[in-house]
Amino acid sequence: HGPDLVQYTDRIRALVHAPPGAPWVIRQLSSGDPDGVQAALDYVRDGAPIAEVRAVLAAVAAGKIGEGAAAPLVQSVGSLATEEILPELEAVTTAGLGRAVGEAVGRIRQRAEALASWRSGHGSAARRDAASRINQAGLPLFRAGQYRDALLKFRTACELDPSEATYRYNLGSAMNRLGNVTEGLEHLKAAISIGRDEMPFYETCLNAMRDLGKRTELVTYLEERAPRVQYSAVVVLLYLNLAHEYVALGRATDAHQALDIAFSRSVPERYLTALLARRGDAFMLTGDVAHARRTYQKALDYAPENRRALDGMLRADAWQPAGGAGPLPPAPFDDGGLGLELDTPSPATAPS
């Protein structure tokens, strides 16, 4: 796999959980405030979904954004290197923006034409080899935090060899790092669909769903995927995630069944504490405090500082038979939630 990565920055987390959206971008670009304009430009370049970029460009074409802010905006979107924005970009006919629009359109069209010409003149083996080299070139950029530049490399690799799941995973990971988790998630799902049972693929995909608050979709996805997976470590990961969601929904029986399947496989040590803590939570849902205590204690024997198990013991101490524990609120899937200390998945190299 590629290099280790830093955790999400607070800024990216903020973009994920409360994305500004096109109306915010338009307001900032129209405000005349240099800081606001720069924040909007950064968001469009690094984190905005293509649909939002198209909406902002439509506002430029309608004259809702002054030329002073529109010019750097047009220059920025030219680096997105996607033909999807061409209709809106070409609709910007403001005289003062003619040169910037022409250059941006030219960059996008030139890249598309060059890529199409190269593909038509080379066989599949040459395309696969070129895709591998370009993907490799994106890895150090990703490691250095140059996610936009890495994204362009990974996107080109995908275009040259769309059958390689690794490139889709890398592209989705780069989009996630830029805060564009919605589009990144689609590439992560595609990587899983066309690829192998890779732990990083699933870890990143499931985390993206949680970042977007798609917990109902997540449960459906896990219920559909988990029975089809063969690799034991991934089986454990998926059923652990499923149990996590079932407990949050108050579905104790379903949580126990998911945990039974996970425990029936070869459990990686990194997941053992999380499984035990979630088993304790499932016992608490039915008021079986004695079993919950014993299970939490087993988790603490493996990891004395595990917050989920410690919190579970406190809940057991405070439990009242009349009311019961009740469904638990959705918790984050991290070391504060399930007791995991997951490595941040790194971009991957293509298999040789």
Side-chain angles (χ1 to χ4, degrees):
H1 294 294
D4 292 336
L5 306 176
V6 297
Q7 296 292 328
Y8 279 116
T9 64
D10 290 343
R11 170 177 172 273
I12 293 302
R13 283 291 187 193
L15 290 179
V16 169
H17 292 292
W24 176 87
V25 174
I26 294 169
R27 286 197 305 272
Q28 295 302 315
L29 292 175
S30 305
S31 67
D33 174 39
D35 291 337
V37 170
Q38 189 59 53
L41 291 173
D42 288 344
Y43 173 67
V44 168
R45 185 186 65 248
D46 290 342
I50 293 300
E52 291 184 14
V53 175
R54 297 178 69 177
V56 173
L57 287 173
V60 173
K64 297 179 181 179
I65 299 173
E67 292 183 15
L73 169 70
V74 169
Q75 292 170 355
S76 294
V77 299
S79 67
L80 294 176
T82 174
E83 294 178 276
E84 294 178 70
I85 64 173
L86 280 177
E88 288 75 17
L89 192 55
E90 292 176 325
V92 178
T93 57
T94 308
L97 298 176
R99 180 175 179 179
V101 170
E103 290 178 350
V105 170
R107 285 200 300 272
I108 293 172
R109 288 199 179 282
Q110 183 179 31
R111 176 185 178 277
E113 291 169 1
L115 187 60
S117 175
W118 195 93
R119 277 195 300 233
S120 64
H122 293 78
S124 58
R127 292 197 297 271
R128 287 195 299 271
D129 183 62
S132 178
R133 292 198 306 271
I134 293 170
N135 176 71
Q136 291 285 347
L139 296 178
L141 296 171
F142 195 105
R143 178 179 56 193
Q146 299 175 32
Y147 303 127
R148 171 59 61 191
D149 293 333
L151 181 149
L152 298 178
K153 297 291 187 185
F154 298 148
R155 177 181 287 158
T156 301
C158 288
E159 291 170 341
L160 288 171
D161 187 3
S163 66
E164 176 50 59
T166 299
Y167 308 151
R168 287 292 191 98
Y169 165 71
N170 288 349
L171 178 58
S173 297
M175 287 183 169
N176 278 3
R177 288 302 177 190
L178 292 167
N180 189 357
V181 180
T182 300
E183 290 186 42
L185 176 58
E186 297 308 310
H187 289 286
L188 294 170
K189 287 182 177 179
I192 291 171
S193 296
I194 65 178
R196 305 160 302 281
D197 291 339
E198 295 281 355
M199 292 285 284
F201 291 12
Y202 278 104
E203 288 176 350
T204 309
C205 182
L206 301 181
N207 287 338
M209 287 191 195
R210 285 198 177 90
D211 281 339
L212 293 169
K214 295 178 178 286
R215 303 190 82 113
T216 300
E217 178 184 330
L218 174 58
V219 171
T220 302
Y221 185 77
L222 288 167
E223 289 175 337
E224 187 271 331
R225 295 294 307 187
R228 297 164 51 184
V229 172
Q230 300 298 318
Y231 179 41
S232 285
V234 177
V235 171
V236 173
L237 172 70
L238 297 188
Y239 279 104
L240 171 56
N241 274 269
L242 195 51
H244 180 80
E245 298 302 321
Y246 284 152
V247 167
L249 294 170
R251 296 165 58 178
T253 300
D254 290 334
H256 277 303
Q257 290 176 350
L259 291 165
D260 287 343
I261 296 172
F263 276 116
S264 72
R265 307 301 286 259
S266 177
V267 178
E269 185 175 349
R270 67 191 297 204
Y271 292 143
L272 182 56
T273 304
L275 287 168
L276 289 169
R278 260 340 194 188
R279 178 75 89 184
D281 289 343
F283 282 131
M284 285 294 293
L285 287 177
T286 58
D288 191 346
V289 180
H291 276 101
R293 284 179 181 277
R294 286 196 290 272
T295 308
Y296 288 136
Q297 187 57 58
K298 287 181 181 179
L300 293 172
D301 289 342
Y302 285 104
E305 303 298 322
N306 181 268
R307 284 184 286 170
R308 173 60 60 185
L310 289 170
D311 288 345
M313 291 293 270
L314 291 174
R315 288 200 308 275
D317 290 340
W319 184 79
Q320 298 295 326
L328 301 176
F333 191 86
D334 57 20
D335 60 335
L338 284 178
L340 300 182
E341 294 184 358
L342 298 177
D343 296 327
T344 305
S346 302
T349 57
S352 56

